[in-house]
Amino acid sequence: MAVAVCWAAGAGAGAGESGTDTGTDTDIDTSRYYNYEEMTELLQGLAEAHAAHARLFSIGRSVENRSLWVIEISAPSSASSPASPPRRRPQLKLVGNMHGDETVSRQVLLYLAQYLVQGYGHDPRVGRLLNTTRVYLLPSLNPDGFERAVEGECSGTAGARWNARKKDLNRSFPDQYRAQAVEEADVPEVVAMERWIKENKFLISANLHGGSVVASYPYDDSRNHETKGYYSKAPDDEVFKYLAKTYASKHPIMKTGKPQCADSPDETFPDGITNGAKWYDVPGGMQDYNYLHGDCFEITLELSCCKYPPASALNEEWKNNLESLLSLMEQVHIGVAGFVTDAVLGSGISDASIVVAGIDHNITTGSFGDFHRLLVPGIYNITTVAQGYMPSTVLDVEVLEGPATQLNFTLQSLDNHTIETVTPTMASSTEFKMHNVSEMEDVQQSNTIEPENFRHHNYIDMEILLRKYATEYPAITRSYSIGKSVEERNLYVMEISDNPGVHELGEPEFKYIGNMHGNEVVGRELLLNLIEYLCSNYGTDPEVTSLVNNTRIHIMPSMNPDGYERSTEGDMDGVVGRNNSNNYDLNRNFPDQFFQIIDPRQPETLAVMDWLNRIPFVLSANLHGGTLVVNYPYDDDPDGADMYSRSPDDAVFCQLALSFAKENGPMFEGHPCKNIYPDEYFPRGITNGAKWYNVPGGMQDWNYLHTNCFEVTIELGCFKFPYASDLPKYWKQNKRSLLQFMKQVHRGVKGFIIDATNGKGIYNATITVAEVNHPVRSAKDGDYWRLLLPGVYKITTSARGYTPKTRSVTVVEEAVEVNFTLTRVANNHDSGLDQVLTESSADPGQEFEKLIKSLSSENGLQDLILSARVDLNLYRYHDYKDLSEALRGLHSNYPSITKLISLGQSVEVRHIWALEISDRPGIKEVAEPKMKFIAGVHGNAPVGTELLLAFAEFLCILFGKNQAITKLIEETKIMIVPSVNPDGREIAQEGQCTSKVGQTNVHGKDLDTDFTGNSSEQLAKMQPETRNIVKNLILNQGFTLSVVLDGGSLLTTYPYDKPVQTVENEETLKYLANVYSNNHPKMHLGHPGCPNNTDENIPGGVVRGAQWHGHMHSMKDFSVTYGHCPEITVYTGCCKFPLAKELGAIWHDNQRSLLSMLVEVHKGLRGKVTDHDGNPIPRANIILNEGVRVPTSEAGYFHILLAPGPHDVDALAEGYQHQRKKVFVSPYEAAITLVMVVELDNKLFGLPRELVVTATGAALSAVIVTACIVWCVCSFKSSHQKDGFHRLRQHRDDYEDEIRMMSMGSKKSLLSNEFQDETESDEDTLHQ
């Protein structure tokens, strides 16, 4: 059937509507379904016929390689008012056919596309919509399933609901309450949709389904996953209901609330709408993902009882839904909209947060500072927050029906005034109350879910429990290990946060540690109870929700799991199990300020120390047993006496200790163990550690002295290993104390230290409080926390290279935010910083520096990728022949920027190819950084080979077309070596994830264990592949950075692989590995999830090689040691040789990381070493931080990558004076450029050159005079002895031979410039 739609002439509104048609009848064919080919043809035809306001594109492909078509419909830009600000038009999307056998949605969206494109210019309503809105229609998200569906099957077709991999797409999105066990390769449709959502700022969306007639809204599931009947409310519940009612009220059947479907005739939905989870629980649904990850308000629309009705019903379905669709689309304009701008510059501020009081869901501004926040009519208090600016709040904003209320914010940049307001980040429920809350306990008890798991947990039991909570509450938990005990047990930590795995800017880090002494177990069990309590009550209890949302909580139940396994229940005061397996007391094993700890540092100790150096903890407690008291620093004193040892923050520590003790009645009384220690008394339940007894090597003092973390030690009871039946009593006694102590992390001052020039955070800045001799330092993004009691303080912040700033700050009960903006000092001799060589503004070097800074910004690389889309169509692997042809093809097609080189040949005489990419290939440019990418060291892991081929083609295609890529190629020498082991690759097999076939070369040698050294003997013994890489690449090229791609896990390792190797520049090597990992969408999460090691936890996705799989003679170790080039190894996935169809997804995951390396190679420190006259000093040594040595090139150049922060740089050259400079490396800026000018060393043997020369001349004169005197004396004596001398020579021939030998000896001495006593030889010559 064809529906005739008549558009009246001149009915349009605005641009595009002034047509002169007398009228147009447009037919929409609603008589049949369109298969994939017909749908494609229809959409292509619409886009071609209406190119001015329609655009067709694909967001990706299905499993069976069908395009996921989207048609964008919107008026041309000129249709809007020329004077309108540059705010984006609101974007909305409608998605259909997610379930392949639910087909009405597919057809309705195709009809809607025709209706809109043909109605523009004729229908006023369509004109208004398209002139102000960008409409995106995706008719079929599951085209594969549709092709299997059967018309007329109302209950669905077996297998057609799912995609071609039998996956339900609406159960395959990341879920806030449950981890979805879905491989991305199985759901390319979902992957494409996730990417599309994140890359756009959609405001409204609808997901069109079939099987009932109702509008469903978030949330679609709940924490407890009740099958049905549980209302799971989103923060914007009112908005969602408003949108759902808008649709339902215009639908003739839906608005009745009685669909009367055959399979559920009595089902009713008031007003035709329902909360998703209340209807039935749907984990992994798309509508919740839109809201949580894209700030897009999506509802789900069930359009018909019959999933695939006969085509004869389509006309009626179209009529039923047209008005509803138009009404829903028009709601994209409700709420508030406006701009956030800089008060001085007037420019828009991007990524500012728009916070609505009482609604725990923020949105962010666009690139022009524009925002649009959907809200239902009402009165609101709205705040905007942006880094580097003072927050601004507008009270009583009235939102009316209809178009959005216009609301603009003008923000003042942070100046020298103290900011004494807490930056709002969510609803008011996040506020912390620091006062005693014991009176709340009865109410809390009745409203919270209490732990039920009161029993002792051995190591395996504890593992299972931690996995249980990490699995059940993935949205707020992350289980990880910081290392292993002596007996190889994991030191587990449970992180609990609303954003697990991420340090959120401005959010403090807190930790609890239990069971440091293995037989003191109450802390271990309390912390397991606490994990259960926090997880169970998050989202329902305000106190718990507030803590989790605003604190990153780390809980380590057992620091000494080995000792626990030897302990025995019922041990009251014993020592069995107290120490670790090496029989060392871990609380006497930390470095001490007063005494040298001679015991070897234990693995548990080292793991905790490393953990504290990686995470900027603010507050901590160490839970023990044996008495009942909170003990605070210091734990010892210089004399080792039991006397009060006061720390600079003694008052703060007393308050922290008291916050725990006063919530625990027996502890607060101060007489804890009357039967054991009848005379022991702790006033108010707290004590200074050293006053109680001296503990050198304790953990709490080390926390305070070596990190920013304030730690106390809490003794939880007189019974070290009580019976399990007593555990509920311990929980009840300590629950409030545990919660109240955590809240103390929000005391004092917090804020950011910001660079006035670039607005970025300053790492490692010092925050000092007047008259308190204990500075703290800012974290890597410039955020800091300083615990203080209420009062007035003078706070100074300083950073190397910046002018310090001091403020007077009033601290109240809750943390006050104080941000400091520091200005760089002028370059002079007193600053200690090296002079940066800058050039004129017209110089292209400055443009490139700006590019590096731009690409280093939060979204810089992502924006580059979006602007440089290239469809590389990775669908197959390349064997050696194909690889060679592909490389030759790249060189043939891009000869001006490529050079193909053979580094040598393999055992079976295959070339080891290298492709150079540069604007001047083959020409040595000493001042340009060189970057190498290597893959295929193991032939059974060829993913890296394919990624490097794709990367090479990506760069070549975009050279001259994309400005950023062009500049990167112009400024970098890039060497790509896709296959080091081509012989092994030839025998490896696709789909073999763990097979070792092809791992070695044909001699059976793992090439990554063959880089033995650089001597001629060692080179001769290497395999041909290894030797060629060493001689022709590593030692002969002078690279700045190297990245090696391998397979078998999902992580990045840095040197060294050698187990006992000292890592001098570990901070830099680890930083480079983190750059790659952090730009990978999954790697940085630290959970490779490989089938052979599902519980593996790699914090940040980065680990030193030796700590993961240590081995000798690796390529990365050789590269660092002999090539002076930092090298990281990237493991691109668990499967070493995955199926070819997975390559596209792997390329997508690694593209940003690979580009980040090209950016990173331009950072750090570069320059030249010259003498006073400007002549280069070749092979001078650049020494970093008194450790790593890097030689300059023959032209005196050097380029060194460094971790962000301050560094000492020394230049040493033979015959020249030592030069030292101090530099500060930024993570966002291009390399600091400096010239190290070395002066001739004017000293010999440590004395002035002139003095040494004068003294030497005098000494030589004395020697000559002495020699003359000796010669005269000897000559006189020899004249009297001549006859006797000759009588000794019996044979003339012998005598002549002797004379000849003496003569030869004289000549030899002369030629060799050796000093000889010439007196004796001269005399012999006289007597020839």
Side-chain angles (χ1 to χ4, degrees):
M1 178 180 294
V3 176
V5 182
C6 182
W7 312 111
E17 299 169 15
S18 58
T20 58
D21 296 345
T22 58
T24 302
D25 286 335
T26 301
D27 289 339
I28 299 176
D29 184 1
T30 60
S31 65
R32 64 189 181 90
Y33 287 96
Y34 296 120
N35 62 24
Y36 173 74
E37 289 75 16
E38 292 168 332
M39 177 182 70
T40 300
E41 183 180 355
L42 172 66
L43 293 173
Q44 289 173 342
L46 288 174
E48 291 173 6
H50 304 274
H53 50 276
R55 178 175 72 98
L56 183 66
F57 63 94
S58 170
I59 64 167
R61 291 185 174 272
S62 67
V63 172
E64 294 177 346
N65 210 33
R66 294 183 174 92
S67 288
L68 305 178
W69 292 119
V70 174
I71 185 165
E72 176 190 355
I73 308 171
S74 183
S77 299
S78 59
S80 298
S81 169
S84 62
R87 181 169 63 242
R88 296 181 182 89
R89 293 180 188 174
Q91 299 184 138
L92 67 88
K93 61 182 171 70
L94 303 176
V95 179
N97 199 208
M98 187 180 203
H99 292 144
D101 58 351
E102 297 171 12
T103 61
V104 172
S105 60
R106 175 183 173 118
Q107 293 304 125
V108 164
L109 292 184
L110 290 174
Y111 304 154
L112 181 62
Q114 297 172 73
Y115 181 89
L116 293 176
V117 297
Q118 295 170 2
Y120 183 71
H122 306 285
D123 181 272
R125 188 178 187 186
V126 172
R128 284 192 299 272
L129 181 66
L130 298 187
N131 282 339
T132 58
T133 317
R134 292 193 180 279
V135 179
Y136 296 83
L137 307 180
L138 196 164
S140 182
L141 184 59
N142 185 3
D144 299 349
F146 177 84
E147 297 300 312
R148 293 191 298 276
V150 178
E151 184 177 345
E153 293 199 359
C154 288
S155 298
T157 306
R161 173 187 178 90
W162 306 320
N163 75 348
R165 288 281 177 82
K166 296 186 177 179
K167 298 296 181 182
D168 187 329
L169 301 183
N170 208 31
R171 306 294 189 279
S172 299
F173 284 80
D175 188 82
Q176 62 177 323
Y177 299 126
R178 175 187 293 175
Q180 299 300 101
V182 181
E183 294 291 334
E184 287 193 353
D186 289 338
V187 285
E189 302 90 347
V190 170
V191 172
M193 178 59 74
E194 287 180 23
R195 184 168 60 246
W196 190 39
I197 290 169
K198 289 180 178 179
E199 291 172 357
N200 290 274
K201 276 188 170 290
F202 294 113
L203 282 182
I204 283 180
S205 176
N207 181 10
L208 281 57
H209 283 253
S212 187
V213 185
V214 67
S216 163
Y217 54 89
Y219 287 134
D220 246 345
D221 66 340
S222 66
R223 185 177 306 282
N224 299 323
H225 295 290
E226 298 286 342
T227 306
K228 60 181 179 179
Y230 182 88
Y231 197 117
S232 186
K233 183 182 294 187
D236 280 287
D237 189 65
E238 292 301 318
V239 176
F240 280 117
K241 288 191 292 186
Y242 186 88
L243 296 176
K245 285 181 180 178
T246 296
Y247 195 97
S249 65
K250 305 296 182 182
H251 192 288
I253 300 173
M254 195 179 293
K255 67 181 180 181
T256 68
K258 298 177 180 179
Q260 296 184 338
C261 298
D263 57 348
S264 51
D266 299 326
E267 193 169 43
T268 59
F269 302 103
D271 297 320
I273 68 172
T274 183
N275 173 262
K278 186 178 181 182
W279 187 16
Y280 61 94
D281 199 74
V282 178
M286 184 166 70
Q287 73 175 8
D288 288 7
Y289 180 87
N290 270 269
Y291 180 61
L292 295 169
H293 297 273
D295 290 337
C296 175
F297 289 65
E298 180 172 282
I299 60 175
T300 301
L301 303 171
E302 305 283 343
L303 301 184
S304 62
C305 291
C306 183
K307 293 184 176 181
Y308 198 158
S312 58
L314 290 175
N315 185 51
E316 189 67 23
E317 295 296 345
W318 168 235
K319 289 180 179 179
N320 287 345
N321 287 281
L322 174 59
E323 179 59 31
S324 293
L325 288 166
L326 293 173
S327 297
L328 177 64
M329 289 191 288
E330 288 166 341
Q331 303 313 304
V332 78
H333 296 284
I334 67 171
V336 291
F339 292 86
V340 180
T341 56
D342 185 296
V344 176
L345 302 176
S347 56
I349 301 172
S350 62
D351 293 319
S353 293
I354 307 300
V355 183
V356 181
I359 300 179
D360 186 10
H361 185 81
N362 304 338
I363 66 164
T364 55
T365 56
S367 55
F368 299 110
D370 53 310
F371 71 91
H372 192 141
R373 212 299 181 188
L374 298 184
L375 290 169
V376 299
I379 305 294
Y380 300 91
N381 297 333
I382 302 177
T383 300
T384 185
V385 182
Q387 185 172 337
Y389 293 87
M390 295 179 65
S392 177
T393 300
V394 178
L395 303 177
D396 300 330
V397 177
E398 185 175 10
V399 175
L400 303 173
E401 291 277 359
T405 299
Q406 294 303 300
L407 178 65
N408 297 322
F409 291 88
T410 302
L411 301 189
Q412 298 285 341
S413 179
L414 292 172
D415 55 20
N416 291 332
H417 296 295
T418 302
I419 299 167
E420 298 188 353
T421 57
V422 179
T423 302
T425 56
M426 16 181 341
S428 59
S429 63
T430 64
E431 296 176 359
F432 284 92
K433 301 302 179 186
M434 296 300 178
H435 53 74
N436 191 325
V437 290
S438 295
E439 64 271 13
M440 296 169 55
E441 184 166 359
D442 292 337
V443 177
Q444 293 280 351
Q445 293 283 3
S446 62
N447 293 332
T448 57
I449 302 171
E450 293 299 315
E452 299 176 352
N453 198 354
F454 292 110
R455 58 189 173 84
H456 288 295
H457 297 77
N458 61 24
Y459 175 74
I460 294 175
D461 203 359
M462 180 179 71
E463 268 191 321
I464 294 171
L465 187 71
L466 293 175
R467 278 200 296 267
K468 174 178 183 285
Y469 283 101
T471 303
E472 290 183 0
Y473 300 93
I476 60 167
T477 63
R478 177 176 72 102
S479 177
Y480 64 98
S481 170
I482 65 165
K484 291 182 181 289
S485 67
V486 174
E487 295 179 2
E488 292 291 305
R489 292 183 175 93
N490 279 305
L491 303 178
Y492 284 115
V493 177
M494 178 67 86
E495 177 190 343
I496 302 178
S497 166
D498 63 337
N499 197 0
V502 177
H503 171 70
E504 297 183 70
L505 294 184
E507 185 169 284
E509 308 263 357
F510 174 92
K511 64 182 169 72
Y512 272 131
I513 296 180
N515 201 208
M516 186 182 200
H517 291 144
N519 67 330
E520 298 171 13
V521 306
V522 173
R524 175 184 176 120
E525 298 306 326
L526 281 180
L527 293 184
L528 293 176
N529 294 148
L530 182 61
I531 291 170
E532 181 182 356
Y533 181 82
L534 294 175
C535 290
S536 301
N537 290 286
Y538 177 75
T540 56
D541 176 63
E543 181 183 30
V544 169
T545 304
S546 181
L547 269 172
V548 174
N549 284 345
N550 292 276
T551 321
R552 192 179 181 204
I553 303 164
H554 304 256
I555 298 175
M556 177 189 282
S558 181
M559 183 178 166
N560 185 4
D562 298 350
Y564 178 90
E565 297 300 310
R566 295 194 301 277
S567 304
T568 306
E569 185 174 357
D571 175 11
M572 173 174 280
D573 56 2
V575 295
V576 176
R578 172 187 175 89
N579 294 347
N580 76 342
S581 284
N582 288 335
N583 201 28
Y584 289 105
D585 187 329
L586 298 180
N587 208 33
R588 308 293 188 280
N589 196 237
F590 284 80
D592 190 83
Q593 62 177 324
F594 300 126
F595 299 96
Q596 182 179 1
I597 305 301
I598 61 174
D599 291 341
R601 210 79 67 219
Q602 295 302 292
E604 298 90 345
T605 308
L606 291 171
V608 169
M609 292 169 66
D610 177 66
W611 185 36
L612 266 72
N613 285 326
R614 285 187 285 109
I615 296 177
F617 288 111
V618 179
L619 180 60
S620 172
N622 178 13
L623 307 187
H624 283 250
T627 188
L628 195 62
V629 68
V630 182
N631 155 22
Y632 54 88
Y634 287 134
D635 248 343
D636 63 346
D637 76 324
D639 300 322
D642 294 346
M643 57 186 295
Y644 203 115
S645 185
R646 192 182 305 272
S647 75
D649 281 287
D650 188 69
V652 175
F653 275 115
C654 286
Q655 176 59 37
L656 292 173
L658 195 59
S659 71
F660 191 99
K662 68 183 179 181
E663 300 291 338
N664 184 320
M667 182 183 287
F668 192 69
E669 289 175 2
H671 295 282
C673 307
K674 297 177 182 178
N675 296 333
I676 307 174
Y677 312 112
D679 298 327
E680 196 166 53
Y681 173 60
F682 302 110
R684 300 189 299 172
I686 67 175
T687 184
N688 173 263
K691 184 181 180 183
W692 184 18
Y693 64 96
N694 226 259
V695 180
M699 183 165 70
Q700 73 175 10
D701 287 6
W702 189 88
N703 270 263
Y704 178 66
L705 293 167
H706 295 274
T707 76
N708 291 340
C709 186
F710 287 50
E711 180 171 282
V712 300
T713 302
I714 302 174
E715 304 281 345
L716 292 166
C718 305
F719 211 131
K720 292 185 176 181
F721 202 143
Y723 292 99
S725 58
D726 291 329
L727 292 178
K729 176 190 71 177
Y730 284 101
W731 169 251
K732 184 176 181 181
Q733 184 175 306
N734 288 282
K735 168 190 160 182
R736 294 264 16 112
S737 296
L738 290 166
L739 295 172
Q740 192 66 13
F741 184 76
M742 283 194 286
K743 294 180 185 179
Q744 306 309 303
V745 78
H746 294 280
R747 280 185 173 274
V749 292
K750 64 179 182 178
F752 291 86
I753 314 299
I754 300 165
D755 186 311
T757 304
N758 57 27
K760 302 295 184 181
I762 299 173
Y763 168 67
N764 210 34
T766 300
I767 297 90
T768 306
V769 179
E771 300 180 3
V772 181
N773 185 24
H774 183 76
V776 299
R777 296 186 179 274
S778 59
K780 66 177 183 178
D781 294 305
D783 44 348
Y784 78 92
W785 305 262
R786 212 305 177 185
L787 298 180
L788 289 169
L789 299 182
V792 179
Y793 300 89
K794 282 190 176 180
I795 299 178
T796 300
T797 184
S798 59
R800 185 174 295 184
Y802 294 85
T803 302
K805 183 169 288 188
T806 300
R807 294 182 182 170
S808 179
V809 179
T810 300
V811 175
V812 292
E813 285 291 328
E814 299 173 14
V816 57
E817 180 161 328
V818 183
N819 298 309
F820 291 85
T821 301
L822 301 189
T823 305
R824 291 182 182 271
V825 297
N827 288 317
N828 54 48
H829 295 295
D830 296 329
S831 71
L833 289 174
D834 200 39
Q835 182 177 5
V836 177
L837 303 179
T838 58
E839 301 165 319
S840 68
S841 59
D843 194 288
Q846 283 197 344
E847 293 181 12
F848 186 68
E849 289 175 3
K850 289 179 181 178
L851 173 65
I852 294 299
K853 185 175 180 179
S854 173
L855 293 176
S856 300
S857 65
E858 183 177 359
N859 297 316
L861 288 173
Q862 190 60 37
D863 291 343
L864 170 59
I865 292 170
L866 292 176
S867 68
R869 291 191 175 181
V870 176
D871 186 4
L872 296 175
N873 199 15
L874 279 71
Y875 64 94
R876 67 183 182 92
Y877 284 97
H878 295 73
D879 59 15
Y880 173 74
K881 179 175 178 293
D882 290 341
L883 173 67
S884 301
E885 290 177 355
L887 292 170
R888 291 191 189 102
L890 285 173
H891 177 54
S892 298
N893 284 285
Y894 305 97
S896 64
I897 59 167
T898 63
K899 181 179 180 181
L900 186 59
I901 308 159
S902 174
L903 299 175
Q905 294 179 326
S906 66
V907 175
E908 293 185 340
V909 201
R910 293 183 174 93
H911 286 286
I912 301 171
W913 294 115
L915 183 72
E916 180 186 343
I917 302 176
S918 167
D919 64 332
R920 301 179 70 194
I923 299 174
K924 191 172 185 179
E925 296 181 84
V926 292
E928 250 184 28
K930 299 189 71 174
M931 171 94 218
K932 58 183 162 81
F933 294 92
I934 301 176
V937 176
H938 296 128
N940 63 334
V943 170
T945 301
E946 302 306 320
L947 291 180
L948 292 189
L949 272 181
F951 191 45
E953 186 174 0
F954 173 84
L955 295 174
C956 290
I957 289 173
L958 291 171
F959 182 79
K961 297 181 178 65
N962 180 278
Q963 184 179 4
I965 295 296
T966 302
K967 289 298 294 180
L968 285 172
I969 292 174
E970 288 175 346
E971 299 292 335
T972 324
K973 288 283 188 184
I974 306 166
M975 192 71 75
I976 291 180
V977 183
S979 183
V980 175
N981 183 6
D983 299 348
R985 165 65 183 88
E986 290 300 291
I987 61 174
Q989 296 181 353
E990 183 177 346
Q992 298 299 307
C993 291
T994 58
S995 172
K996 292 187 177 181
V997 175
Q999 177 172 315
T1000 65
N1001 74 346
V1002 296
H1003 287 161
K1005 183 67 175 178
D1006 183 336
L1007 299 182
D1008 201 39
T1009 63
D1010 194 43
F1011 291 82
T1012 51
N1014 67 340
S1015 70
S1016 56
E1017 294 82 2
Q1018 289 168 320
L1019 286 170
K1021 293 179 181 179
M1022 288 181 184
Q1023 297 296 307
E1025 299 90 343
T1026 315
R1027 185 166 54 248
N1028 289 323
I1029 290 292
V1030 168
K1031 291 176 62 178
N1032 300 322
L1033 190 69
I1034 297 176
L1035 297 181
N1036 196 37
Q1037 301 286 343
F1039 287 99
T1040 312
L1041 177 59
S1042 177
V1043 176
V1044 180
L1045 303 184
D1046 207 335
S1049 190
L1050 190 65
L1051 52 89
T1052 300
T1053 65
Y1054 60 90
Y1056 286 86
D1057 288 319
K1058 182 179 178 180
V1060 295
Q1061 179 72 45
T1062 300
V1063 187
E1064 288 184 327
N1065 58 336
E1066 182 168 17
E1067 186 178 3
T1068 294
L1069 296 169
K1070 187 175 182 179
Y1071 169 75
L1072 293 170
N1074 272 308
V1075 171
Y1076 195 101
S1077 178
N1078 289 338
N1079 280 286
H1080 191 286
K1082 304 170 195 167
M1083 189 180 294
H1084 72 279
L1085 301 177
H1087 300 287
C1090 298
N1092 59 339
N1093 193 359
T1094 55
D1095 296 330
E1096 186 175 32
N1097 179 65
I1098 306 294
V1102 168
V1103 64
R1104 180 155 57 93
Q1107 293 175 328
W1108 189 54
H1109 293 310
H1111 60 283
M1112 302 293 289
H1113 309 314
S1114 72
M1115 183 163 65
K1116 75 160 74 71
D1117 291 4
F1118 187 95
S1119 182
V1120 171
T1121 304
Y1122 299 106
H1124 306 292
C1125 173
E1127 181 170 290
I1128 60 173
T1129 303
V1130 177
Y1131 294 84
T1132 59
C1134 295
C1135 185
K1136 293 180 179 179
F1137 202 152
L1139 298 175
K1141 61 187 175 182
E1142 299 175 33
L1143 288 174
I1146 299 173
W1147 161 247
H1148 177 265
D1149 287 348
N1150 285 275
Q1151 185 181 7
R1152 177 168 167 171
S1153 295
L1154 290 168
L1155 284 170
S1156 74
M1157 295 291 98
L1158 274 187
V1159 174
E1160 205 62 35
V1161 78
H1162 288 280
K1163 297 181 184 178
L1165 178 67
R1166 68 179 180 182
K1168 192 175 184 180
V1169 179
T1170 71
D1171 63 15
H1172 186 74
D1173 297 324
N1175 300 311
I1177 307 296
R1179 314 309 296 173
N1181 276 317
I1182 301 297
I1183 303 174
L1184 305 173
N1185 303 315
E1186 302 182 354
V1188 179
R1189 290 174 178 255
V1190 178
T1192 61
S1193 69
E1194 293 299 327
Y1197 286 98
F1198 62 89
H1199 190 145
I1200 305 162
L1201 300 183
L1202 293 169
H1207 297 275
D1208 292 328
V1209 182
D1210 296 86
L1212 292 181
E1214 187 175 353
Y1216 292 88
Q1217 295 179 21
H1218 162 229
Q1219 286 290 322
R1220 166 167 286 191
K1221 302 287 185 180
K1222 293 180 182 294
V1223 297
F1224 187 90
V1225 174
S1226 165
Y1228 308 103
E1229 305 285 349
I1232 296 171
T1233 305
L1234 59 90
V1235 174
M1236 304 280 279
V1237 179
V1238 292
E1239 302 287 347
L1240 279 170
D1241 192 347
N1242 205 30
K1243 292 185 177 181
L1244 293 173
F1245 309 110
L1247 298 171
R1249 180 181 295 270
E1250 293 82 357
L1251 177 61
V1252 174
V1253 170
T1254 302
T1256 302
L1260 286 174
S1261 298
V1263 169
I1264 292 170
V1265 171
T1266 304
C1268 290
I1269 294 171
V1270 172
W1271 181 81
C1272 292
V1273 172
C1274 292
S1275 297
F1276 176 79
K1277 290 173 66 179
S1278 65
S1279 64
H1280 293 281
Q1281 298 176 1
K1282 185 165 74 173
D1283 291 343
F1285 181 84
H1286 278 286
R1287 278 197 292 271
L1288 294 175
R1289 309 297 180 183
Q1290 300 297 320
H1291 302 286
R1292 182 176 179 85
D1293 292 339
D1294 294 342
Y1295 178 70
E1296 290 176 349
D1297 288 342
E1298 186 174 348
I1299 294 294
R1300 283 195 295 272
M1301 290 178 66
M1302 291 172 67
S1303 176
M1304 289 173 63
S1306 262
K1307 291 177 182 177
K1308 182 177 180 182
S1309 297
L1310 183 63
L1311 290 171
S1312 62
N1313 293 321
E1314 292 177 359
F1315 177 79
Q1316 297 288 332
D1317 184 352
E1318 298 294 341
T1319 308
E1320 198 171 317
S1321 63
D1322 283 348
E1323 182 171 299
D1324 288 345
T1325 303
L1326 282 174
H1327 294 88
Q1328 287 181 7

